[in-house]
Amino acid sequence: MRVLGVNALFHDPSAALVVDGKVVAAAEEERFSRRKHGKRPVPFAAWELPEKAMAWCLEAGGLRPQDLDAVAYSFDPALAKPAEEMGLPDPWDWLRVQYAERAPQFIATALPGLSPSAVRFVPHEVAHAASAALASPFPVASVLSLDGRGERSSHLAGRYAHGKLEVLASQELPHSLGLVYESLTEHLGFLRSSDEYKVMALASYGEPRFLDDLREILYATDDGGFVAEAPDWTRWAPRRVDDGTWGTEHGGMAEHADLAASVQARLEEVLVDLATWLHGQTGDRVLTMGGGTALNCVANSRIWRETPFEEVWVQPAAGDSGTALGAAMQLAAEAGDTVEPMGSAALGRSWSDDELADWLRTAKVPFTTPDDLPGEVAQVLADNGVIAWFDGRAEFGPRALGHRSLIANPGPVENLERLNDVKGREQFRPVAPMVLLEDAAEIFSGGPIPSPYMLFVHEVAPEWRDRIATVVHVDHTARIQTIDDSTPRLQAMIRAFKERTGLPVVVNTSLNTAGRPMVDDPRDALELFGSAPVDVLVLGPHLVRRADVFAPGAGDGAAA
């Protein structure tokens, strides 16, 4: 069965293609449109489809719209209730639902040759759940989906066994852990449905001194659900307007950081309670997780440590973008296809070595194609240079996983400020480490290893904290990505860096600047290289040095 998955209604529009149960391609619209998150999550934008992502997925699969057996849309308007009946303060939500009802016609218009009857609705939380359990390498697993909202719920707890879903609990709106966290994000002066990860980072700077108060209003219930409605946050801290003064004397953040720490801690406790309840129902060895709340890597590690589940697998694109993949997988499974695990998050666009060289020649950028590219890059890092690393297929989801990454030396503590300046973001934001899998357990603990998708936090061993100071957060944790032979060029580079420095770790942060989507194509990479203080650009096997680009007489684009 050939199924195109589409996520369009709320935020992070995306598309994914599943053919005969195998994931062929998946991408977010922002990577093509260069508009962060694709669009704002408001009812008036619900009509916007991921047209470029849909077209590329079909191209990647060598298909025409009329070749598709189905299009899976990750929202079912038949399940929706009026916002006022659900207690949601959203007077225009009816418009969003109307757009969803007309999605078959919109999609057929965007994909000429497709019949509107090919479009099928998949419930939003089911799409999240399928993106976790069906994409995971486990044929039998419990599944927990938590996000802001779907049609009428914000949560699903259940179990997948060989492609079949059994729903064990759900939570109807307005109760939503995701909406509570979004509301806090807005109260702290950040962009709602966009900057929740900043709240998680900020929480490490505070003390959870409001935790007892929050336990009275946010809690799990004995039926697998929870009570969670956003309170009046001014009870604990005044509303903040983002004026760019975080961390300065004028913009001291203690009061707001304490509120962030309190909500983060309570979220973790409730998630542990929900996962523990689910294990009591299923007795499964494995928990899989989807939904935007599953991107909270601090909570994920607590679930891994404190619940009876032996393994926890989180969808790398756990937010709404992942519902395109989940919806397609769900329809494929219902049709009887054996759905294969996704295997990797590298599901986006790529270019051949020759095509990358052509991009560089067209841009008249001098470059080399070294016999030992990993060694040359490792030496630049050892000399404290910053690398823009572009290699292979782009990542699906919000994490840079060594395909579109900024890479640096983790030793000098000042590199954190340096990288945040390069990216133009707040100084309290951490950067993450890539670590060779064979060395990870020596340095990091308190979370699962391997950890290939950067979805858990780990404690950094005391004897390593000063050695890799750039990647150690204020609470002595790090959000690690373990590197193995699935990314051979990256693995070879880190091994070469280890030979030169004794450190099996490099800094990894996403290849973008603040407010812009992650780099996706070679033009994006060249634009970033030209505008940010990066020492070397790696495009596949090719290497561009800033000193060469801006040297007198540079610009003939010849390869050395």
Side-chain angles (χ1 to χ4, degrees):
M1 187 175 187
R2 293 159 293 193
V3 187
L4 179 70
V6 175
N7 167 59
L9 201 66
F10 293 113
H11 51 85
D12 296 302
S14 60
L17 180 65
V18 174
V19 176
D20 296 331
K22 183 176 182 178
V23 183
V24 173
E28 292 153 291
E29 186 72 4
E30 69 165 22
R31 307 297 171 86
F32 302 85
S33 69
R34 311 308 299 158
R35 183 181 175 193
K36 187 73 171 175
H37 294 296
K39 61 182 180 181
R40 290 300 300 141
V42 295
F44 307 101
W47 64 271
E48 295 185 46
L49 292 169
E51 294 188 35
K52 293 180 172 63
M54 293 190 303
W56 174 77
C57 284
L58 290 178
E59 178 186 342
L63 299 176
R64 302 167 300 166
Q66 55 265 42
D67 296 328
L68 292 169
D69 295 303
V71 173
Y73 187 83
S74 60
F75 185 91
D76 186 349
L79 301 178
K81 293 170 59 177
E84 60 270 19
E85 290 185 20
M86 296 187 289
L88 295 176
D90 191 347
W92 291 100
D93 189 57
W94 63 268
L95 184 61
R96 181 185 284 118
V97 175
Q98 283 198 0
Y99 282 141
E101 290 171 344
R102 290 162 175 76
Q105 289 74 30
F106 291 154
I107 294 172
T109 301
L111 298 175
L114 180 79
S115 169
S117 62
V119 180
R120 293 170 56 186
F121 297 117
V122 177
H124 190 73
E125 296 301 334
V126 171
H128 271 309
S131 79
L134 295 181
S136 81
F138 306 102
V140 177
S142 296
V143 62
L144 194 60
S145 167
L146 291 136
D147 66 350
R149 58 161 297 191
E151 296 86 358
R152 62 170 67 185
S153 65
S154 67
H155 156 250
L156 181 152
R159 184 175 195 257
Y160 269 93
H162 307 289
K164 305 295 184 182
L165 171 63
E166 178 187 7
V167 178
L168 298 171
S170 64
Q171 179 57 60
E172 292 222 342
L173 295 164
H175 299 282
S176 168
L177 292 167
L179 290 182
V180 167
Y181 213 83
E182 287 182 18
S183 172
L184 175 66
T185 300
E186 186 174 51
H187 184 76
L188 294 176
F190 302 124
L191 187 60
R192 185 176 186 141
S193 295
S194 173
D195 292 346
E196 282 71 25
Y197 57 93
K198 296 182 183 181
V199 177
M200 185 177 66
L202 180 63
S204 298
Y205 288 84
E207 295 294 330
R209 56 192 179 96
F210 311 124
L211 183 54
D212 286 343
D213 291 342
L214 291 169
R215 284 172 175 153
E216 296 179 4
I217 57 176
L218 303 174
Y219 52 88
T221 53
D222 59 9
D223 58 356
F226 49 83
V227 171
E229 292 188 80
D232 179 1
W233 300 114
T234 59
R235 173 180 172 185
W236 300 285
R239 184 181 179 89
R240 177 184 165 271
V241 176
D242 190 1
D243 57 3
T245 60
W246 273 121
T248 68
E249 182 178 354
H250 169 66
M253 57 186 183
E255 193 172 25
H256 294 97
D258 287 349
L259 180 55
S262 301
V263 175
Q264 173 66 32
R266 188 56 187 146
L267 174 70
E268 295 167 22
E269 291 176 345
V270 174
L271 291 180
V272 167
D273 288 344
L274 293 173
T276 300
W277 178 91
L278 179 56
H279 185 272
Q281 304 301 306
T282 68
D284 287 329
R285 189 179 68 84
V286 178
L287 172 66
T288 60
M289 295 177 63
T293 306
L295 292 172
N296 193 302
C297 53
V298 181
N300 294 345
S301 290
R302 281 197 65 176
I303 291 170
W304 181 81
R305 289 194 303 269
E306 299 179 20
T307 70
F309 289 105
E310 297 175 32
E311 292 198 54
V312 178
W313 192 92
V314 182
Q315 164 58 239
D320 271 11
S321 63
T323 64
L325 177 62
M329 287 183 151
Q330 181 68 25
L331 283 194
E334 290 176 0
D337 287 350
T338 300
V339 178
E340 298 181 18
M342 62 187 285
S344 169
L347 298 170
R349 290 190 288 178
S350 67
W351 286 260
S352 71
D353 295 350
D354 288 342
E355 288 171 330
L356 293 172
D358 287 343
W359 275 90
L360 292 166
R361 293 189 187 100
T362 299
K364 299 189 182 302
V365 172
F367 68 96
T368 61
T369 306
D371 291 334
D372 183 18
L373 181 137
E376 289 203 23
V377 172
Q379 189 58 53
V380 173
L381 291 175
D383 294 336
N384 208 28
V386 176
I387 309 295
W389 183 275
F390 181 111
D391 193 24
R393 297 185 72 171
E395 300 92 340
F396 181 51
R399 307 286 194 235
L401 300 171
H403 301 273
R404 306 290 188 271
S405 291
L406 273 174
I407 298 175
N409 189 319
V413 66
E414 61 270 16
N415 276 353
L416 175 59
E417 182 175 351
R418 179 186 178 195
L419 286 168
N420 279 332
D421 284 344
V422 166
K423 291 170 67 73
R425 63 184 206 171
E426 301 90 347
Q427 288 299 337
F428 67 82
R429 303 264 300 279
V431 290
M434 288 175 173
V435 56
L436 293 172
L437 177 58
E438 61 262 32
D439 294 298
E442 176 189 346
I443 306 171
F444 304 104
S445 62
I449 294 174
S451 183
Y453 297 131
M454 204 188 297
L455 287 164
F456 299 86
V457 297
H458 294 67
E459 290 284 335
V460 182
E463 63 271 23
W464 279 91
R465 291 172 187 168
D466 290 337
R467 297 184 66 187
I468 55 171
T470 304
V471 297
V472 181
H473 198 30
V474 66
D475 58 0
H476 305 308
T477 65
R479 189 182 65 200
I480 76 170
Q481 180 193 357
T482 53
I483 301 299
D484 58 22
D485 58 9
S486 63
T487 50
R489 188 146 41 208
L490 185 63
Q491 183 188 54
M493 184 273 288
I494 301 176
R495 283 180 173 162
F497 180 72
K498 179 184 178 182
E499 290 173 2
R500 288 160 172 77
T501 64
L503 302 177
V505 175
V506 296
V507 178
N508 170 36
T509 187
S510 55
L511 188 56
N512 67 326
T513 52
R516 304 199 67 189
M518 205 184 308
V519 160
D520 192 78
D521 73 14
R523 186 187 302 278
D524 304 332
L526 286 163
E527 289 177 351
L528 183 145
F529 183 69
S531 62
V534 174
D535 298 288
V536 165
L537 168 65
V538 171
L539 277 181
H542 312 302
L543 187 148
V544 182
R545 294 179 184 269
R546 177 167 295 277
D548 295 338
V549 173
F550 295 102
D556 61 7

